[in-house]
Amino acid sequence: MRASLIQIAVDPDEPVNSRRRRAASLVREQRERHGADLVVLPELWPTGAFAYTSFVDEAEPLEGPTYEVMAEAAAGAGVWLHAGSIVERDPEGPLYNTSLVFSPDGELVRAYRKIHRFGFDTGEAVLMGAGEELVTVRAADLTFGLGTCYDLRFPELFRGLVDAGAQAFLVPAGWPARRRDHWTLLTRARAVENQAYVLACGTAGTHAGMEQAGHSIVVDPWGEVLAEAGPAEEVLTVELDPARVAKTREQFPALKDRRLR
Ligand SMILES: NC(=O)CCC(=O)C(=O)O
């Protein structure tokens, strides 16, 4: 399976609707130019992960404007699409940081509400509700577990996803440049300890005064970096092979030595 990660720039001067249209055209391009089967976008790319003051105004229902544009993009391109995350307005609850996954016919097959909210006593941590469900999705020939940005710091979430069958993780993010070392370390650690691919897609640019790290990364089940972006807007394309997961787990069966569950 071939996967493309779109490290889109979140520029506060670009209207959200233009960014939605631009993202949709980039999704189509991944199929046409690179033969991608799966396309991944970052965390909260319509709004910006740190644009807390816009969250209430930019919040949208699950099947709102981002859903509409992304469903059409997935169906038009005929790809699996992890459309990154949106500020979801639940009519009966708080806001959520919710990731959307579409099948190649444009159906929303999974929604994942970020479980660990960033900001301690500020920002996302106070403005949003916490998700409670682990989510996996079978796309083409791999089972993917879903996490979002700050979730990377919580290894038990990823181990839970492995127990649910994950062979790879899709992690949209809006990670700040000042903690880029943690990003690289954590993505590689989650891959090595779980013997799973990690596809972590960040944003580029600066929004809400927070310079973004970019440096989207794909790590294989042995911890090798298959591709890594620079800081600016960029697309990564990689090949994923389920046999590589099986072989790593078979030849170095550390997951079988677990004692605490
Ligand atoms: N959007 C986020 O979850 C940011 C996480 C972060 O900055 C960190 O964990 O460090």
mmCIF file of all heavy atoms in Angstrom, residues 1 37-41 62-63 66-67 70-71 74-75 79-86 98-113 135-140 142-148 169-172:
data_model
loop_
_atom_site.group_PDB
_atom_site.id
_atom_site.type_symbol
_atom_site.label_atom_id
_atom_site.label_comp_id
_atom_site.label_asym_id
_atom_site.label_seq_id
_atom_site.Cartn_x
_atom_site.Cartn_y
_atom_site.Cartn_z
ATOM 1 N N MET A 1 0.850 -1.194 0.000
ATOM 2 C CA MET A 1 0.000 0.000 0.000
ATOM 3 C C MET A 1 0.879 1.236 0.000
ATOM 4 O O MET A 1 1.913 1.259 0.645
ATOM 5 C CB MET A 1 -0.912 -0.051 1.229
ATOM 6 C CG MET A 1 -0.999 1.215 2.008
ATOM 7 S SD MET A 1 -2.054 1.179 3.458
ATOM 8 C CE MET A 1 -3.654 1.192 2.825
ATOM 9 N N ASP A 37 -2.775 5.054 -2.088
ATOM 10 C CA ASP A 37 -4.004 4.338 -1.686
ATOM 11 C C ASP A 37 -4.594 4.985 -0.446
ATOM 12 O O ASP A 37 -5.785 4.857 -0.165
ATOM 13 C CB ASP A 37 -3.675 2.874 -1.331
ATOM 14 C CG ASP A 37 -2.901 2.189 -2.439
ATOM 15 O OD1 ASP A 37 -3.497 1.983 -3.494
ATOM 16 O OD2 ASP A 37 -1.699 1.890 -2.252
ATOM 17 N N LEU A 38 -3.714 5.630 0.342
ATOM 18 C CA LEU A 38 -4.102 6.255 1.615
ATOM 19 C C LEU A 38 -3.476 7.647 1.671
ATOM 20 O O LEU A 38 -2.294 7.807 1.344
ATOM 21 C CB LEU A 38 -3.542 5.410 2.774
ATOM 22 C CG LEU A 38 -3.565 6.045 4.168
ATOM 23 C CD1 LEU A 38 -5.008 6.142 4.694
ATOM 24 C CD2 LEU A 38 -2.718 5.221 5.138
ATOM 25 N N VAL A 39 -4.280 8.630 2.075
ATOM 26 C CA VAL A 39 -3.763 9.996 2.216
ATOM 27 C C VAL A 39 -4.063 10.460 3.648
ATOM 28 O O VAL A 39 -5.143 10.170 4.186
ATOM 29 C CB VAL A 39 -4.407 10.949 1.179
ATOM 30 C CG1 VAL A 39 -3.860 12.368 1.348
ATOM 31 C CG2 VAL A 39 -4.139 10.458 -0.242
ATOM 32 N N VAL A 40 -3.092 11.156 4.239
ATOM 33 C CA VAL A 40 -3.232 11.577 5.644
ATOM 34 C C VAL A 40 -3.017 13.089 5.755
ATOM 35 O O VAL A 40 -2.056 13.622 5.193
ATOM 36 C CB VAL A 40 -2.190 10.848 6.534
ATOM 37 C CG1 VAL A 40 -2.428 11.162 8.008
ATOM 38 C CG2 VAL A 40 -2.227 9.341 6.302
ATOM 39 N N LEU A 41 -3.893 13.756 6.488
ATOM 40 C CA LEU A 41 -3.760 15.192 6.768
ATOM 41 C C LEU A 41 -3.507 15.386 8.273
ATOM 42 O O LEU A 41 -3.742 14.473 9.064
ATOM 43 C CB LEU A 41 -5.042 15.922 6.348
ATOM 44 C CG LEU A 41 -5.158 16.239 4.849
ATOM 45 C CD1 LEU A 41 -6.601 16.475 4.445
ATOM 46 C CD2 LEU A 41 -4.306 17.451 4.497
ATOM 47 N N LEU A 62 -19.992 17.132 13.036
ATOM 48 C CA LEU A 62 -19.221 16.040 12.431
ATOM 49 C C LEU A 62 -19.381 16.055 10.911
ATOM 50 O O LEU A 62 -18.420 15.910 10.167
ATOM 51 C CB LEU A 62 -19.700 14.708 13.007
ATOM 52 C CG LEU A 62 -18.789 13.521 12.790
ATOM 53 C CD1 LEU A 62 -17.458 13.697 13.505
ATOM 54 C CD2 LEU A 62 -19.461 12.239 13.239
ATOM 55 N N GLU A 63 -20.620 16.232 10.462
ATOM 56 C CA GLU A 63 -20.870 16.237 9.015
ATOM 57 C C GLU A 63 -20.998 17.677 8.518
ATOM 58 O O GLU A 63 -21.976 18.045 7.870
ATOM 59 C CB GLU A 63 -22.094 15.380 8.695
ATOM 60 C CG GLU A 63 -21.866 13.949 9.144
ATOM 61 C CD GLU A 63 -22.874 12.948 8.583
ATOM 62 O OE1 GLU A 63 -23.779 13.382 7.847
ATOM 63 O OE2 GLU A 63 -22.723 11.757 8.892
ATOM 64 N N THR A 66 -15.941 20.645 6.587
ATOM 65 C CA THR A 66 -14.723 19.858 6.309
ATOM 66 C C THR A 66 -15.113 18.454 5.859
ATOM 67 O O THR A 66 -14.567 17.919 4.877
ATOM 68 C CB THR A 66 -13.802 19.799 7.558
ATOM 69 O OG1 THR A 66 -13.494 21.141 7.946
ATOM 70 C CG2 THR A 66 -12.518 19.055 7.264
ATOM 71 N N TYR A 67 -16.080 17.863 6.551
ATOM 72 C CA TYR A 67 -16.584 16.544 6.165
ATOM 73 C C TYR A 67 -16.998 16.551 4.686
ATOM 74 O O TYR A 67 -16.630 15.665 3.914
ATOM 75 C CB TYR A 67 -17.776 16.192 7.068
ATOM 76 C CG TYR A 67 -18.669 15.092 6.554
ATOM 77 C CD1 TYR A 67 -18.466 13.778 6.947
ATOM 78 C CD2 TYR A 67 -19.718 15.370 5.681
ATOM 79 C CE1 TYR A 67 -19.280 12.760 6.473
ATOM 80 C CE2 TYR A 67 -20.531 14.369 5.199
ATOM 81 C CZ TYR A 67 -20.309 13.063 5.590
ATOM 82 O OH TYR A 67 -21.113 12.070 5.107
ATOM 83 N N MET A 70 -14.029 16.839 2.288
ATOM 84 C CA MET A 70 -13.139 15.670 2.376
ATOM 85 C C MET A 70 -13.813 14.392 1.851
ATOM 86 O O MET A 70 -13.153 13.557 1.237
ATOM 87 C CB MET A 70 -12.666 15.488 3.823
ATOM 88 C CG MET A 70 -11.717 16.567 4.281
ATOM 89 S SD MET A 70 -10.120 16.494 3.404
ATOM 90 C CE MET A 70 -10.133 18.004 2.478
ATOM 91 N N ALA A 71 -15.107 14.252 2.096
ATOM 92 C CA ALA A 71 -15.823 13.080 1.570
ATOM 93 C C ALA A 71 -15.752 13.093 0.040
ATOM 94 O O ALA A 71 -15.484 12.065 -0.602
ATOM 95 C CB ALA A 71 -17.272 13.091 2.045
ATOM 96 N N ALA A 74 -12.147 12.239 -1.085
ATOM 97 C CA ALA A 74 -11.838 10.796 -0.982
ATOM 98 C C ALA A 74 -12.508 10.044 -2.133
ATOM 99 O O ALA A 74 -11.865 9.219 -2.801
ATOM 100 C CB ALA A 74 -12.316 10.248 0.364
ATOM 101 N N ALA A 75 -13.773 10.343 -2.366
ATOM 102 C CA ALA A 75 -14.510 9.633 -3.424
ATOM 103 C C ALA A 75 -13.959 10.000 -4.801
ATOM 104 O O ALA A 75 -13.787 9.132 -5.667
ATOM 105 C CB ALA A 75 -15.999 9.963 -3.334
ATOM 106 N N VAL A 79 -9.491 7.165 -2.754
ATOM 107 C CA VAL A 79 -8.451 6.790 -1.772
ATOM 108 C C VAL A 79 -9.063 6.666 -0.375
ATOM 109 O O VAL A 79 -10.093 7.278 -0.071
ATOM 110 C CB VAL A 79 -7.324 7.856 -1.682
ATOM 111 C CG1 VAL A 79 -6.497 7.879 -2.946
ATOM 112 C CG2 VAL A 79 -7.876 9.245 -1.345
ATOM 113 N N TRP A 80 -8.373 5.895 0.483
ATOM 114 C CA TRP A 80 -8.640 5.980 1.909
ATOM 115 C C TRP A 80 -8.118 7.329 2.361
ATOM 116 O O TRP A 80 -7.009 7.717 1.964
ATOM 117 C CB TRP A 80 -7.903 4.865 2.669
ATOM 118 C CG TRP A 80 -8.516 3.526 2.435
ATOM 119 C CD1 TRP A 80 -8.140 2.599 1.506
ATOM 120 C CD2 TRP A 80 -9.629 2.963 3.143
ATOM 121 N NE1 TRP A 80 -8.951 1.502 1.591
ATOM 122 C CE2 TRP A 80 -9.882 1.701 2.586
ATOM 123 C CE3 TRP A 80 -10.444 3.415 4.180
ATOM 124 C CZ2 TRP A 80 -10.895 0.875 3.027
ATOM 125 C CZ3 TRP A 80 -11.460 2.598 4.627
ATOM 126 C CH2 TRP A 80 -11.688 1.338 4.061
ATOM 127 N N LEU A 81 -8.882 8.033 3.156
ATOM 128 C CA LEU A 81 -8.456 9.373 3.558
ATOM 129 C C LEU A 81 -8.611 9.554 5.063
ATOM 130 O O LEU A 81 -9.729 9.497 5.596
ATOM 131 C CB LEU A 81 -9.295 10.434 2.822
ATOM 132 C CG LEU A 81 -9.050 11.896 3.233
ATOM 133 C CD1 LEU A 81 -7.612 12.317 2.984
ATOM 134 C CD2 LEU A 81 -10.008 12.831 2.475
ATOM 135 N N HIS A 82 -7.463 9.739 5.748
ATOM 136 C CA HIS A 82 -7.511 10.217 7.135
ATOM 137 C C HIS A 82 -7.468 11.730 6.996
ATOM 138 O O HIS A 82 -6.394 12.295 6.684
ATOM 139 C CB HIS A 82 -6.328 9.696 7.945
ATOM 140 C CG HIS A 82 -6.420 10.100 9.391
ATOM 141 N ND1 HIS A 82 -6.646 11.397 9.788
ATOM 142 C CD2 HIS A 82 -6.348 9.382 10.532
ATOM 143 C CE1 HIS A 82 -6.699 11.471 11.101
ATOM 144 N NE2 HIS A 82 -6.522 10.241 11.579
ATOM 145 N N ALA A 83 -8.607 12.381 7.170
ATOM 146 C CA ALA A 83 -8.726 13.813 6.851
ATOM 147 C C ALA A 83 -8.248 14.696 7.995
ATOM 148 O O ALA A 83 -8.696 15.842 8.129
ATOM 149 C CB ALA A 83 -10.161 14.137 6.465
ATOM 150 N N GLY A 84 -7.319 14.198 8.838
ATOM 151 C CA GLY A 84 -6.862 14.989 9.976
ATOM 152 C C GLY A 84 -8.018 15.193 10.940
ATOM 153 O O GLY A 84 -8.981 14.424 10.941
ATOM 154 N N SER A 85 -7.907 16.255 11.767
ATOM 155 C CA SER A 85 -8.994 16.455 12.733
ATOM 156 C C SER A 85 -9.619 17.830 12.598
ATOM 157 O O SER A 85 -9.058 18.740 11.983
ATOM 158 C CB SER A 85 -8.513 16.212 14.167
ATOM 159 O OG SER A 85 -7.627 17.225 14.577
ATOM 160 N N ILE A 86 -10.834 17.927 13.173
ATOM 161 C CA ILE A 86 -11.606 19.182 13.168
ATOM 162 C C ILE A 86 -12.004 19.515 14.608
ATOM 163 O O ILE A 86 -11.964 18.647 15.488
ATOM 164 C CB ILE A 86 -12.906 19.045 12.330
ATOM 165 C CG1 ILE A 86 -13.798 17.913 12.882
ATOM 166 C CG2 ILE A 86 -12.587 18.807 10.864
ATOM 167 C CD1 ILE A 86 -15.230 17.935 12.373
ATOM 168 N N THR A 98 -11.670 15.972 16.778
ATOM 169 C CA THR A 98 -12.141 14.716 16.183
ATOM 170 C C THR A 98 -11.529 14.461 14.809
ATOM 171 O O THR A 98 -11.619 15.302 13.915
ATOM 172 C CB THR A 98 -13.681 14.757 16.051
ATOM 173 O OG1 THR A 98 -14.223 15.020 17.352
ATOM 174 C CG2 THR A 98 -14.237 13.446 15.533
ATOM 175 N N SER A 99 -10.926 13.278 14.670
ATOM 176 C CA SER A 99 -10.344 12.857 13.388
ATOM 177 C C SER A 99 -11.387 12.118 12.562
ATOM 178 O O SER A 99 -12.202 11.356 13.113
ATOM 179 C CB SER A 99 -9.178 11.895 13.633
ATOM 180 O OG SER A 99 -8.117 12.574 14.211
ATOM 181 N N LEU A 100 -11.311 12.318 11.253
ATOM 182 C CA LEU A 100 -12.289 11.702 10.343
ATOM 183 C C LEU A 100 -11.571 10.788 9.353
ATOM 184 O O LEU A 100 -10.587 11.205 8.730
ATOM 185 C CB LEU A 100 -13.014 12.792 9.537
ATOM 186 C CG LEU A 100 -13.621 13.969 10.317
ATOM 187 C CD1 LEU A 100 -14.199 14.988 9.352
ATOM 188 C CD2 LEU A 100 -14.695 13.466 11.266
ATOM 189 N N VAL A 101 -12.072 9.565 9.208
ATOM 190 C CA VAL A 101 -11.484 8.647 8.223
ATOM 191 C C VAL A 101 -12.558 8.239 7.217
ATOM 192 O O VAL A 101 -13.638 7.762 7.601
ATOM 193 C CB VAL A 101 -10.897 7.380 8.898
ATOM 194 C CG1 VAL A 101 -10.259 6.466 7.846
ATOM 195 C CG2 VAL A 101 -9.860 7.757 9.950
ATOM 196 N N PHE A 102 -12.238 8.450 5.938
ATOM 197 C CA PHE A 102 -13.173 8.142 4.844
ATOM 198 C C PHE A 102 -12.671 6.957 4.034
ATOM 199 O O PHE A 102 -11.459 6.798 3.829
ATOM 200 C CB PHE A 102 -13.288 9.343 3.894
ATOM 201 C CG PHE A 102 -13.885 10.556 4.543
ATOM 202 C CD1 PHE A 102 -13.074 11.495 5.175
ATOM 203 C CD2 PHE A 102 -15.257 10.759 4.537
ATOM 204 C CE1 PHE A 102 -13.616 12.613 5.790
ATOM 205 C CE2 PHE A 102 -15.807 11.873 5.151
ATOM 206 C CZ PHE A 102 -14.992 12.799 5.782
ATOM 207 N N SER A 103 -13.624 6.162 3.541
ATOM 208 C CA SER A 103 -13.284 5.065 2.632
ATOM 209 C C SER A 103 -13.173 5.636 1.208
ATOM 210 O O SER A 103 -13.593 6.776 0.960
ATOM 211 C CB SER A 103 -14.365 3.986 2.692
ATOM 212 O OG SER A 103 -15.554 4.521 2.158
ATOM 213 N N PRO A 104 -12.650 4.830 0.269
ATOM 214 C CA PRO A 104 -12.480 5.351 -1.099
ATOM 215 C C PRO A 104 -13.800 5.691 -1.803
ATOM 216 O O PRO A 104 -13.766 6.318 -2.861
ATOM 217 C CB PRO A 104 -11.757 4.211 -1.829
ATOM 218 C CG PRO A 104 -11.088 3.426 -0.757
ATOM 219 C CD PRO A 104 -11.984 3.517 0.443
ATOM 220 N N ASP A 105 -14.948 5.300 -1.246
ATOM 221 C CA ASP A 105 -16.193 5.761 -1.874
ATOM 222 C C ASP A 105 -16.775 6.980 -1.134
ATOM 223 O O ASP A 105 -17.918 7.387 -1.369
ATOM 224 C CB ASP A 105 -17.222 4.627 -2.033
ATOM 225 C CG ASP A 105 -17.544 3.976 -0.707
ATOM 226 O OD1 ASP A 105 -17.125 4.526 0.341
ATOM 227 O OD2 ASP A 105 -18.222 2.934 -0.711
ATOM 228 N N GLY A 106 -15.981 7.569 -0.250
ATOM 229 C CA GLY A 106 -16.373 8.820 0.389
ATOM 230 C C GLY A 106 -17.243 8.655 1.618
ATOM 231 O O GLY A 106 -17.775 9.630 2.146
ATOM 232 N N GLU A 107 -17.325 7.413 2.128
ATOM 233 C CA GLU A 107 -18.127 7.196 3.343
ATOM 234 C C GLU A 107 -17.264 7.463 4.586
ATOM 235 O O GLU A 107 -16.097 7.030 4.643
ATOM 236 C CB GLU A 107 -18.628 5.750 3.348
ATOM 237 C CG GLU A 107 -19.605 5.462 4.472
ATOM 238 C CD GLU A 107 -19.788 3.957 4.691
ATOM 239 O OE1 GLU A 107 -19.435 3.179 3.783
ATOM 240 O OE2 GLU A 107 -20.242 3.577 5.774
ATOM 241 N N LEU A 108 -17.824 8.157 5.561
ATOM 242 C CA LEU A 108 -17.107 8.357 6.834
ATOM 243 C C LEU A 108 -17.171 7.035 7.592
ATOM 244 O O LEU A 108 -18.230 6.630 8.071
ATOM 245 C CB LEU A 108 -17.771 9.465 7.653
ATOM 246 C CG LEU A 108 -17.116 9.758 8.998
ATOM 247 C CD1 LEU A 108 -15.731 10.364 8.832
ATOM 248 C CD2 LEU A 108 -17.992 10.694 9.832
ATOM 249 N N VAL A 109 -16.026 6.346 7.699
ATOM 250 C CA VAL A 109 -16.047 5.017 8.323
ATOM 251 C C VAL A 109 -15.622 5.048 9.791
ATOM 252 O O VAL A 109 -15.957 4.142 10.544
ATOM 253 C CB VAL A 109 -15.198 3.985 7.551
ATOM 254 C CG1 VAL A 109 -15.868 3.606 6.245
ATOM 255 C CG2 VAL A 109 -13.786 4.473 7.290
ATOM 256 N N ARG A 110 -14.838 6.068 10.195
ATOM 257 C CA ARG A 110 -14.430 6.180 11.591
ATOM 258 C C ARG A 110 -14.294 7.641 11.981
ATOM 259 O O ARG A 110 -13.905 8.485 11.160
ATOM 260 C CB ARG A 110 -13.054 5.553 11.832
ATOM 261 C CG ARG A 110 -12.998 4.050 11.738
ATOM 262 C CD ARG A 110 -13.642 3.348 12.933
ATOM 263 N NE ARG A 110 -13.428 1.934 12.849
ATOM 264 C CZ ARG A 110 -14.132 1.096 12.084
ATOM 265 N NH1 ARG A 110 -15.118 1.553 11.328
ATOM 266 N NH2 ARG A 110 -13.848 -0.199 12.068
ATOM 267 N N ALA A 111 -14.612 7.911 13.258
ATOM 268 C CA ALA A 111 -14.320 9.223 13.846
ATOM 269 C C ALA A 111 -13.632 8.927 15.172
ATOM 270 O O ALA A 111 -14.092 8.070 15.931
ATOM 271 C CB ALA A 111 -15.605 9.997 14.067
ATOM 272 N N TYR A 112 -12.510 9.590 15.416
ATOM 273 C CA TYR A 112 -11.782 9.373 16.673
ATOM 274 C C TYR A 112 -11.679 10.694 17.425
ATOM 275 O O TYR A 112 -11.137 11.676 16.909
ATOM 276 C CB TYR A 112 -10.365 8.823 16.400
ATOM 277 C CG TYR A 112 -9.458 8.948 17.609
ATOM 278 C CD1 TYR A 112 -9.707 8.202 18.771
ATOM 279 C CD2 TYR A 112 -8.381 9.831 17.622
ATOM 280 C CE1 TYR A 112 -8.902 8.341 19.904
ATOM 281 C CE2 TYR A 112 -7.565 9.970 18.744
ATOM 282 C CZ TYR A 112 -7.846 9.219 19.874
ATOM 283 O OH TYR A 112 -7.051 9.362 20.996
ATOM 284 N N ARG A 113 -12.199 10.726 18.634
ATOM 285 C CA ARG A 113 -12.096 11.918 19.479
ATOM 286 C C ARG A 113 -10.838 11.795 20.331
ATOM 287 O O ARG A 113 -10.712 10.841 21.125
ATOM 288 C CB ARG A 113 -13.339 12.025 20.369
ATOM 289 C CG ARG A 113 -14.567 12.447 19.575
ATOM 290 C CD ARG A 113 -15.807 12.407 20.427
ATOM 291 N NE ARG A 113 -16.924 13.089 19.786
ATOM 292 C CZ ARG A 113 -18.179 13.025 20.212
ATOM 293 N NH1 ARG A 113 -18.489 12.300 21.287
ATOM 294 N NH2 ARG A 113 -19.127 13.691 19.582
ATOM 295 N N VAL A 135 -9.825 3.611 18.719
ATOM 296 C CA VAL A 135 -10.398 3.408 17.376
ATOM 297 C C VAL A 135 -9.347 2.801 16.443
ATOM 298 O O VAL A 135 -8.224 3.304 16.344
ATOM 299 C CB VAL A 135 -10.908 4.751 16.795
ATOM 300 C CG1 VAL A 135 -11.436 4.556 15.377
ATOM 301 C CG2 VAL A 135 -12.009 5.338 17.681
ATOM 302 N N THR A 136 -9.729 1.735 15.769
ATOM 303 C CA THR A 136 -8.889 1.159 14.701
ATOM 304 C C THR A 136 -9.701 1.141 13.417
ATOM 305 O O THR A 136 -10.933 1.180 13.453
ATOM 306 C CB THR A 136 -8.447 -0.286 15.014
ATOM 307 O OG1 THR A 136 -9.610 -1.100 15.138
ATOM 308 C CG2 THR A 136 -7.624 -0.376 16.283
ATOM 309 N N VAL A 137 -8.979 1.067 12.301
ATOM 310 C CA VAL A 137 -9.683 0.984 11.012
ATOM 311 C C VAL A 137 -8.869 0.090 10.078
ATOM 312 O O VAL A 137 -7.649 0.193 10.020
ATOM 313 C CB VAL A 137 -9.906 2.396 10.402
ATOM 314 C CG1 VAL A 137 -8.618 3.166 10.187
ATOM 315 C CG2 VAL A 137 -10.692 2.310 9.098
ATOM 316 N N ARG A 138 -9.560 -0.792 9.401
ATOM 317 C CA ARG A 138 -8.926 -1.642 8.392
ATOM 318 C C ARG A 138 -8.985 -0.897 7.064
ATOM 319 O O ARG A 138 -10.084 -0.588 6.576
ATOM 320 C CB ARG A 138 -9.683 -2.971 8.304
ATOM 321 C CG ARG A 138 -9.080 -3.954 7.341
ATOM 322 C CD ARG A 138 -7.952 -4.717 7.987
ATOM 323 N NE ARG A 138 -7.261 -5.580 7.036
ATOM 324 C CZ ARG A 138 -6.069 -6.107 7.252
ATOM 325 N NH1 ARG A 138 -5.424 -5.887 8.371
ATOM 326 N NH2 ARG A 138 -5.506 -6.870 6.352
ATOM 327 N N ALA A 139 -7.845 -0.551 6.514
ATOM 328 C CA ALA A 139 -7.808 0.172 5.242
ATOM 329 C C ALA A 139 -6.868 -0.582 4.317
ATOM 330 O O ALA A 139 -5.698 -0.764 4.649
ATOM 331 C CB ALA A 139 -7.307 1.597 5.452
ATOM 332 N N ALA A 140 -7.398 -1.027 3.188
ATOM 333 C CA ALA A 140 -6.647 -1.886 2.270
ATOM 334 C C ALA A 140 -6.131 -3.088 3.058
ATOM 335 O O ALA A 140 -6.918 -3.779 3.686
ATOM 336 C CB ALA A 140 -5.541 -1.112 1.575
ATOM 337 N N LEU A 142 -3.979 -3.210 5.766
ATOM 338 C CA LEU A 142 -3.406 -2.973 7.102
ATOM 339 C C LEU A 142 -4.481 -2.511 8.077
ATOM 340 O O LEU A 142 -5.446 -1.839 7.690
ATOM 341 C CB LEU A 142 -2.339 -1.884 7.022
ATOM 342 C CG LEU A 142 -0.913 -2.316 6.613
ATOM 343 C CD1 LEU A 142 -0.089 -1.098 6.235
ATOM 344 C CD2 LEU A 142 -0.224 -3.090 7.735
ATOM 345 N N THR A 143 -4.274 -2.847 9.363
ATOM 346 C CA THR A 143 -5.148 -2.312 10.412
ATOM 347 C C THR A 143 -4.406 -1.155 11.095
ATOM 348 O O THR A 143 -3.286 -1.332 11.583
ATOM 349 C CB THR A 143 -5.512 -3.404 11.433
ATOM 350 O OG1 THR A 143 -6.201 -4.448 10.730
ATOM 351 C CG2 THR A 143 -6.422 -2.859 12.529
ATOM 352 N N PHE A 144 -5.039 0.007 11.067
ATOM 353 C CA PHE A 144 -4.440 1.217 11.627
ATOM 354 C C PHE A 144 -5.094 1.566 12.954
ATOM 355 O O PHE A 144 -6.324 1.524 13.075
ATOM 356 C CB PHE A 144 -4.638 2.399 10.668
ATOM 357 C CG PHE A 144 -3.895 2.267 9.368
ATOM 358 C CD1 PHE A 144 -4.483 1.645 8.275
ATOM 359 C CD2 PHE A 144 -2.596 2.753 9.251
ATOM 360 C CE1 PHE A 144 -3.790 1.515 7.081
ATOM 361 C CE2 PHE A 144 -1.903 2.631 8.057
ATOM 362 C CZ PHE A 144 -2.495 2.005 6.963
ATOM 363 N N GLY A 145 -4.282 1.973 13.926
ATOM 364 C CA GLY A 145 -4.809 2.526 15.175
ATOM 365 C C GLY A 145 -4.705 4.040 15.092
ATOM 366 O O GLY A 145 -3.747 4.569 14.507
ATOM 367 N N LEU A 146 -5.670 4.736 15.677
ATOM 368 C CA LEU A 146 -5.685 6.196 15.577
ATOM 369 C C LEU A 146 -5.262 6.859 16.888
ATOM 370 O O LEU A 146 -5.710 6.466 17.972
ATOM 371 C CB LEU A 146 -7.090 6.684 15.192
ATOM 372 C CG LEU A 146 -7.717 6.067 13.935
ATOM 373 C CD1 LEU A 146 -8.998 6.812 13.578
ATOM 374 C CD2 LEU A 146 -6.764 6.083 12.750
ATOM 375 N N GLY A 147 -4.420 7.884 16.756
ATOM 376 C CA GLY A 147 -4.033 8.714 17.898
ATOM 377 C C GLY A 147 -3.917 10.132 17.369
ATOM 378 O O GLY A 147 -3.903 10.331 16.154
ATOM 379 N N THR A 148 -3.821 11.118 18.259
ATOM 380 C CA THR A 148 -3.679 12.503 17.797
ATOM 381 C C THR A 148 -2.647 13.228 18.658
ATOM 382 O O THR A 148 -2.832 13.349 19.887
ATOM 383 C CB THR A 148 -5.032 13.249 17.886
ATOM 384 O OG1 THR A 148 -6.011 12.522 17.159
ATOM 385 C CG2 THR A 148 -4.933 14.660 17.296
ATOM 386 N N PHE A 169 0.081 2.994 13.002
ATOM 387 C CA PHE A 169 -0.636 4.088 13.685
ATOM 388 C C PHE A 169 -0.691 5.315 12.781
ATOM 389 O O PHE A 169 0.324 5.658 12.159
ATOM 390 C CB PHE A 169 0.083 4.481 14.980
ATOM 391 C CG PHE A 169 0.292 3.349 15.942
ATOM 392 C CD1 PHE A 169 1.571 2.980 16.324
ATOM 393 C CD2 PHE A 169 -0.784 2.654 16.469
ATOM 394 C CE1 PHE A 169 1.778 1.930 17.218
ATOM 395 C CE2 PHE A 169 -0.596 1.612 17.365
ATOM 396 C CZ PHE A 169 0.694 1.247 17.735
ATOM 397 N N LEU A 170 -1.844 5.960 12.754
ATOM 398 C CA LEU A 170 -1.991 7.231 12.041
ATOM 399 C C LEU A 170 -2.113 8.331 13.083
ATOM 400 O O LEU A 170 -3.036 8.300 13.913
ATOM 401 C CB LEU A 170 -3.248 7.205 11.167
ATOM 402 C CG LEU A 170 -3.244 6.173 10.032
ATOM 403 C CD1 LEU A 170 -4.578 6.196 9.291
ATOM 404 C CD2 LEU A 170 -2.101 6.462 9.063
ATOM 405 N N VAL A 171 -1.162 9.267 13.058
ATOM 406 C CA VAL A 171 -1.118 10.286 14.108
ATOM 407 C C VAL A 171 -1.052 11.688 13.490
ATOM 408 O O VAL A 171 0.030 12.198 13.192
ATOM 409 C CB VAL A 171 0.096 10.076 15.037
ATOM 410 C CG1 VAL A 171 0.022 11.020 16.237
ATOM 411 C CG2 VAL A 171 0.192 8.628 15.506
ATOM 412 N N PRO A 172 -2.202 12.332 13.293
ATOM 413 C CA PRO A 172 -2.176 13.727 12.865
ATOM 414 C C PRO A 172 -1.736 14.592 14.035
ATOM 415 O O PRO A 172 -2.024 14.265 15.185
ATOM 416 C CB PRO A 172 -3.640 14.001 12.488
ATOM 417 C CG PRO A 172 -4.426 13.037 13.307
ATOM 418 C CD PRO A 172 -3.553 11.817 13.498
#
